[in-house]
Amino acid sequence: MSGASSLTEHAAVPTAADDRLRPDLLVEQLLDGVGSVAEQEAGSETEPSGIDPWAEAFAESSRAAMAPRRSAYPIAVNPQVQHFLDRFTGARREVVNLWVGRAGRYLGMIRDVLKARGLPEELAYTAMIESGFNPVAVSRMGAKGMWQFMAGTARRYGLRVDQWIDERLDPEKSTIAAAAYLRDLYNMFGSWTLAQAAYNAGEVKVSRAIRATGSSDFWTLAQTDHLRMETRNFVPAIHAATLIAQDPGRYGFEFTDSGPLAVETVSVPASTDLRRLAPRTGIALDTLRTLNPVLVRSITPPGDAWPLTVPAGTRADVLTALAPPAKPTLPTKTARGGTQRPAASRRDVHVVQPRDTVGSIAKQYGVSVSDVLRWNRLEEQARIRPGDRLRVAAVRPSVADVRPSLVEGQGGFR
């Protein structure tokens, strides 16, 4: 297939998912068992049938829910938090540096989302422990995205997760969902530490720990075996990360606000395949995938047009690549009775593909290398790059436009 139609696929069965959605992030993501909302859903799936986890959690935490609440985020400084401060500034400094380096691109957006919903901005560092601010993180249990949602919880909070689209990988949409989830957990337990513990372990497990101990204080629960070690570590790790973020210089870190990338959107047809679109636009495939992480199979979903994110300044290139081939234009008569050739068509121009050479392009169009060099004003050793547009046909006047003296051999055209 060629032209615009070759950029789209209308397959009844989608192809296999990209390997890029299965990175091994566990060394970076898990600090001795810290961090992954996957655990909460895995645990809830094992609850006996007939039990509504949310109803039970609300019932068990009704005392906390009825208590007066403060939306402030109190940060504890205790031995558990100090343990993670020591690890983050010592043995794990290199990993934390990686997290801090990513933070600048997303922290502004996360804080804006939290602030708009009346939530403490310190909740942003939940994502630091969940994923290291990696928007395409994947855990061994299948939790995905910066906020490590399992599919069921993600759908419950309005994210689309199917064979084509996974909005857990959209940094802003997943942040909005996480804010809603954390707000609900806070309303349930009346405590941000318990809300974060439930984000990790599940509402039912935290409610049962409260019932078993008679305490609604996380730090008291963390001294018992009613919460798993992962959850007992999860909250103090967040507090340690928050302390570092509040005074990074004190701990030898620097949070740099790099801001979002310069991008724009363009509406593309349903089932547009990024692997075919990339070489026709000169945009690297990895760039298109990075800017559109929700496209699980690197293909826009069937049905409707899709708003594709592209680097700023490339929208026109995408529209050109998607445009149907121009119909050939017949020569027209000139005022002097001759004929005028139409302007160069798309067939006269070759868009350089990866691994193309001037020689291979010349062979493809049945012309000489010297012609291609001359038509494009290239030196013999000039380098060509994917996305470059090269003329592959000469622009010549028709015979009828040539003066008789030239036709008869008294001159010529090079």
Side-chain angles (χ1 to χ4, degrees), residues 105-132:
R105 183 175 297 178
Y106 304 108
L107 266 179
M109 175 273 293
I110 296 172
R111 287 172 177 150
D112 287 345
V113 168
L114 295 171
K115 189 187 305 183
R117 286 154 181 78
L119 304 180
E121 295 178 33
E122 293 89 346
L123 292 175
Y125 302 101
T126 307
M128 187 169 177
I129 301 306
E130 281 288 1
S131 67

mmCIF file of all heavy atoms in Angstrom, residues 105-132:
data_model
loop_
_atom_site.group_PDB
_atom_site.id
_atom_site.type_symbol
_atom_site.label_atom_id
_atom_site.label_comp_id
_atom_site.label_asym_id
_atom_site.label_seq_id
_atom_site.Cartn_x
_atom_site.Cartn_y
_atom_site.Cartn_z
ATOM 1 N N ARG A 105 9.720 17.673 34.911
ATOM 2 C CA ARG A 105 8.778 17.700 33.794
ATOM 3 C C ARG A 105 7.334 17.556 34.252
ATOM 4 O O ARG A 105 6.413 17.985 33.549
ATOM 5 C CB ARG A 105 9.127 16.587 32.808
ATOM 6 C CG ARG A 105 8.241 16.574 31.568
ATOM 7 C CD ARG A 105 8.679 15.536 30.559
ATOM 8 N NE ARG A 105 10.021 15.819 30.061
ATOM 9 C CZ ARG A 105 10.666 15.046 29.192
ATOM 10 N NH1 ARG A 105 10.100 13.939 28.760
ATOM 11 N NH2 ARG A 105 11.861 15.376 28.776
ATOM 12 N N TYR A 106 7.118 16.949 35.428
ATOM 13 C CA TYR A 106 5.748 16.603 35.817
ATOM 14 C C TYR A 106 5.264 17.274 37.103
ATOM 15 O O TYR A 106 4.054 17.353 37.323
ATOM 16 C CB TYR A 106 5.633 15.081 35.988
ATOM 17 C CG TYR A 106 6.046 14.311 34.758
ATOM 18 C CD1 TYR A 106 7.237 13.603 34.734
ATOM 19 C CD2 TYR A 106 5.254 14.325 33.613
ATOM 20 C CE1 TYR A 106 7.634 12.903 33.591
ATOM 21 C CE2 TYR A 106 5.637 13.635 32.472
ATOM 22 C CZ TYR A 106 6.836 12.928 32.466
ATOM 23 O OH TYR A 106 7.227 12.251 31.334
ATOM 24 N N LEU A 107 6.178 17.737 37.962
ATOM 25 C CA LEU A 107 5.752 18.240 39.267
ATOM 26 C C LEU A 107 4.808 19.430 39.154
ATOM 27 O O LEU A 107 3.830 19.519 39.907
ATOM 28 C CB LEU A 107 6.974 18.629 40.092
ATOM 29 C CG LEU A 107 7.521 17.561 41.040
ATOM 30 C CD1 LEU A 107 8.752 18.075 41.772
ATOM 31 C CD2 LEU A 107 6.464 17.103 42.032
ATOM 32 N N GLY A 108 5.078 20.350 38.224
ATOM 33 C CA GLY A 108 4.194 21.501 38.081
ATOM 34 C C GLY A 108 2.773 21.084 37.751
ATOM 35 O O GLY A 108 1.805 21.589 38.344
ATOM 36 N N MET A 109 2.630 20.153 36.819
ATOM 37 C CA MET A 109 1.300 19.670 36.448
ATOM 38 C C MET A 109 0.628 18.973 37.623
ATOM 39 O O MET A 109 -0.560 19.197 37.908
ATOM 40 C CB MET A 109 1.421 18.720 35.251
ATOM 41 C CG MET A 109 0.127 18.057 34.828
ATOM 42 S SD MET A 109 -0.242 16.497 35.714
ATOM 43 C CE MET A 109 1.091 15.432 35.095
ATOM 44 N N ILE A 110 1.369 18.121 38.328
ATOM 45 C CA ILE A 110 0.781 17.371 39.443
ATOM 46 C C ILE A 110 0.306 18.323 40.536
ATOM 47 O O ILE A 110 -0.803 18.190 41.064
ATOM 48 C CB ILE A 110 1.801 16.363 40.003
ATOM 49 C CG1 ILE A 110 2.139 15.304 38.946
ATOM 50 C CG2 ILE A 110 1.246 15.683 41.252
ATOM 51 C CD1 ILE A 110 3.272 14.373 39.346
ATOM 52 N N ARG A 111 1.138 19.295 40.873
ATOM 53 C CA ARG A 111 0.738 20.248 41.907
ATOM 54 C C ARG A 111 -0.490 21.035 41.495
ATOM 55 O O ARG A 111 -1.373 21.314 42.320
ATOM 56 C CB ARG A 111 1.904 21.197 42.199
ATOM 57 C CG ARG A 111 3.045 20.556 42.976
ATOM 58 C CD ARG A 111 4.218 21.498 43.050
ATOM 59 N NE ARG A 111 5.325 20.979 43.849
ATOM 60 C CZ ARG A 111 6.582 21.268 43.650
ATOM 61 N NH1 ARG A 111 6.927 22.096 42.652
ATOM 62 N NH2 ARG A 111 7.535 20.750 44.412
ATOM 63 N N ASP A 112 -0.570 21.416 40.216
ATOM 64 C CA ASP A 112 -1.745 22.157 39.742
ATOM 65 C C ASP A 112 -3.011 21.321 39.885
ATOM 66 O O ASP A 112 -4.068 21.827 40.287
ATOM 67 C CB ASP A 112 -1.551 22.571 38.281
ATOM 68 C CG ASP A 112 -0.532 23.696 38.113
ATOM 69 O OD1 ASP A 112 -0.195 24.349 39.124
ATOM 70 O OD2 ASP A 112 -0.075 23.909 36.975
ATOM 71 N N VAL A 113 -2.926 20.042 39.533
ATOM 72 C CA VAL A 113 -4.085 19.151 39.645
ATOM 73 C C VAL A 113 -4.509 19.029 41.107
ATOM 74 O O VAL A 113 -5.703 19.120 41.436
ATOM 75 C CB VAL A 113 -3.761 17.762 39.052
ATOM 76 C CG1 VAL A 113 -4.848 16.756 39.418
ATOM 77 C CG2 VAL A 113 -3.612 17.847 37.538
ATOM 78 N N LEU A 114 -3.550 18.819 41.994
ATOM 79 C CA LEU A 114 -3.877 18.669 43.416
ATOM 80 C C LEU A 114 -4.453 19.954 43.990
ATOM 81 O O LEU A 114 -5.464 19.947 44.709
ATOM 82 C CB LEU A 114 -2.621 18.257 44.183
ATOM 83 C CG LEU A 114 -2.039 16.883 43.840
ATOM 84 C CD1 LEU A 114 -0.676 16.689 44.507
ATOM 85 C CD2 LEU A 114 -2.987 15.762 44.250
ATOM 86 N N LYS A 115 -3.830 21.082 43.661
ATOM 87 C CA LYS A 115 -4.284 22.368 44.184
ATOM 88 C C LYS A 115 -5.703 22.675 43.715
ATOM 89 O O LYS A 115 -6.527 23.179 44.491
ATOM 90 C CB LYS A 115 -3.323 23.471 43.726
ATOM 91 C CG LYS A 115 -3.554 24.822 44.382
ATOM 92 C CD LYS A 115 -2.673 25.908 43.750
ATOM 93 C CE LYS A 115 -1.216 25.513 43.779
ATOM 94 N NZ LYS A 115 -0.350 26.598 43.227
ATOM 95 N N ALA A 116 -5.986 22.382 42.453
ATOM 96 C CA ALA A 116 -7.315 22.665 41.910
ATOM 97 C C ALA A 116 -8.397 21.867 42.621
ATOM 98 O O ALA A 116 -9.570 22.262 42.611
ATOM 99 C CB ALA A 116 -7.341 22.369 40.410
ATOM 100 N N ARG A 117 -8.020 20.768 43.243
ATOM 101 C CA ARG A 117 -8.991 19.909 43.930
ATOM 102 C C ARG A 117 -8.921 20.050 45.445
ATOM 103 O O ARG A 117 -9.502 19.250 46.183
ATOM 104 C CB ARG A 117 -8.769 18.446 43.510
ATOM 105 C CG ARG A 117 -9.267 18.211 42.089
ATOM 106 C CD ARG A 117 -8.552 17.075 41.396
ATOM 107 N NE ARG A 117 -9.080 16.930 40.030
ATOM 108 C CZ ARG A 117 -8.745 17.730 39.012
ATOM 109 N NH1 ARG A 117 -7.896 18.720 39.191
ATOM 110 N NH2 ARG A 117 -9.268 17.531 37.816
ATOM 111 N N GLY A 118 -8.183 21.053 45.908
ATOM 112 C CA GLY A 118 -8.108 21.306 47.335
ATOM 113 C C GLY A 118 -7.308 20.278 48.106
ATOM 114 O O GLY A 118 -7.520 20.107 49.316
ATOM 115 N N LEU A 119 -6.400 19.586 47.438
ATOM 116 C CA LEU A 119 -5.611 18.547 48.091
ATOM 117 C C LEU A 119 -4.196 19.054 48.377
ATOM 118 O O LEU A 119 -3.678 19.923 47.668
ATOM 119 C CB LEU A 119 -5.532 17.296 47.201
ATOM 120 C CG LEU A 119 -6.868 16.686 46.774
ATOM 121 C CD1 LEU A 119 -6.631 15.457 45.911
ATOM 122 C CD2 LEU A 119 -7.706 16.328 47.990
ATOM 123 N N PRO A 120 -3.547 18.513 49.400
ATOM 124 C CA PRO A 120 -2.177 18.946 49.711
ATOM 125 C C PRO A 120 -1.224 18.649 48.556
ATOM 126 O O PRO A 120 -1.232 17.547 47.999
ATOM 127 C CB PRO A 120 -1.811 18.112 50.945
ATOM 128 C CG PRO A 120 -3.107 17.659 51.517
ATOM 129 C CD PRO A 120 -4.045 17.514 50.364
ATOM 130 N N GLU A 121 -0.394 19.621 48.236
ATOM 131 C CA GLU A 121 0.550 19.432 47.136
ATOM 132 C C GLU A 121 1.605 18.375 47.454
ATOM 133 O O GLU A 121 2.216 17.804 46.552
ATOM 134 C CB GLU A 121 1.225 20.763 46.796
ATOM 135 C CG GLU A 121 0.265 21.806 46.250
ATOM 136 C CD GLU A 121 0.957 23.136 45.956
ATOM 137 O OE1 GLU A 121 2.138 23.106 45.568
ATOM 138 O OE2 GLU A 121 0.306 24.183 46.130
ATOM 139 N N GLU A 122 1.811 18.104 48.755
ATOM 140 C CA GLU A 122 2.788 17.084 49.150
ATOM 141 C C GLU A 122 2.419 15.690 48.659
ATOM 142 O O GLU A 122 3.267 14.800 48.580
ATOM 143 C CB GLU A 122 2.947 17.055 50.678
ATOM 144 C CG GLU A 122 3.573 18.299 51.271
ATOM 145 C CD GLU A 122 2.538 19.365 51.616
ATOM 146 O OE1 GLU A 122 1.378 19.255 51.153
ATOM 147 O OE2 GLU A 122 2.888 20.316 52.341
ATOM 148 N N LEU A 123 1.150 15.496 48.300
ATOM 149 C CA LEU A 123 0.744 14.188 47.769
ATOM 150 C C LEU A 123 1.462 13.857 46.468
ATOM 151 O O LEU A 123 1.485 12.704 46.038
ATOM 152 C CB LEU A 123 -0.770 14.166 47.543
ATOM 153 C CG LEU A 123 -1.656 14.214 48.785
ATOM 154 C CD1 LEU A 123 -3.126 14.308 48.381
ATOM 155 C CD2 LEU A 123 -1.422 12.994 49.665
ATOM 156 N N ALA A 124 2.055 14.863 45.822
ATOM 157 C CA ALA A 124 2.781 14.619 44.571
ATOM 158 C C ALA A 124 3.874 13.587 44.758
ATOM 159 O O ALA A 124 4.196 12.822 43.825
ATOM 160 C CB ALA A 124 3.386 15.932 44.055
ATOM 161 N N TYR A 125 4.449 13.506 45.960
ATOM 162 C CA TYR A 125 5.593 12.618 46.166
ATOM 163 C C TYR A 125 5.171 11.173 46.395
ATOM 164 O O TYR A 125 6.026 10.286 46.502
ATOM 165 C CB TYR A 125 6.471 13.169 47.292
ATOM 166 C CG TYR A 125 6.910 14.565 46.924
ATOM 167 C CD1 TYR A 125 6.281 15.679 47.484
ATOM 168 C CD2 TYR A 125 7.861 14.775 45.934
ATOM 169 C CE1 TYR A 125 6.625 16.960 47.091
ATOM 170 C CE2 TYR A 125 8.207 16.055 45.533
ATOM 171 C CZ TYR A 125 7.586 17.139 46.112
ATOM 172 O OH TYR A 125 7.916 18.402 45.706
ATOM 173 N N THR A 126 3.844 10.944 46.422
ATOM 174 C CA THR A 126 3.358 9.565 46.343
ATOM 175 C C THR A 126 3.813 8.951 45.023
ATOM 176 O O THR A 126 4.232 7.792 44.972
ATOM 177 C CB THR A 126 1.823 9.534 46.444
ATOM 178 O OG1 THR A 126 1.399 10.239 47.606
ATOM 179 C CG2 THR A 126 1.304 8.102 46.490
ATOM 180 N N ALA A 127 3.748 9.738 43.949
ATOM 181 C CA ALA A 127 4.170 9.235 42.629
ATOM 182 C C ALA A 127 5.673 9.003 42.579
ATOM 183 O O ALA A 127 6.147 8.139 41.824
ATOM 184 C CB ALA A 127 3.756 10.222 41.537
ATOM 185 N N MET A 128 6.426 9.745 43.375
ATOM 186 C CA MET A 128 7.878 9.541 43.404
ATOM 187 C C MET A 128 8.206 8.150 43.929
ATOM 188 O O MET A 128 9.093 7.460 43.399
ATOM 189 C CB MET A 128 8.533 10.611 44.280
ATOM 190 C CG MET A 128 10.044 10.611 44.257
ATOM 191 S SD MET A 128 10.691 12.114 45.055
ATOM 192 C CE MET A 128 12.451 11.801 44.952
ATOM 193 N N ILE A 129 7.479 7.705 44.951
ATOM 194 C CA ILE A 129 7.732 6.383 45.515
ATOM 195 C C ILE A 129 7.050 5.296 44.687
ATOM 196 O O ILE A 129 7.557 4.189 44.562
ATOM 197 C CB ILE A 129 7.261 6.333 46.987
ATOM 198 C CG1 ILE A 129 8.013 7.393 47.797
ATOM 199 C CG2 ILE A 129 7.500 4.956 47.585
ATOM 200 C CD1 ILE A 129 9.523 7.312 47.709
ATOM 201 N N GLU A 130 5.907 5.606 44.111
ATOM 202 C CA GLU A 130 5.229 4.615 43.274
ATOM 203 C C GLU A 130 6.039 4.260 42.035
ATOM 204 O O GLU A 130 6.184 3.100 41.686
ATOM 205 C CB GLU A 130 3.846 5.145 42.841
ATOM 206 C CG GLU A 130 2.773 5.046 43.894
ATOM 207 C CD GLU A 130 2.309 3.621 44.133
ATOM 208 O OE1 GLU A 130 2.825 2.701 43.502
ATOM 209 O OE2 GLU A 130 1.410 3.438 44.980
ATOM 210 N N SER A 131 6.562 5.287 41.328
ATOM 211 C CA SER A 131 7.142 5.016 40.008
ATOM 212 C C SER A 131 8.419 5.785 39.724
ATOM 213 O O SER A 131 8.977 5.643 38.636
ATOM 214 C CB SER A 131 6.118 5.379 38.928
ATOM 215 O OG SER A 131 5.898 6.793 38.914
ATOM 216 N N GLY A 132 8.873 6.627 40.667
ATOM 217 C CA GLY A 132 10.000 7.493 40.347
ATOM 218 C C GLY A 132 9.652 8.508 39.274
ATOM 219 O O GLY A 132 10.511 8.920 38.495
#
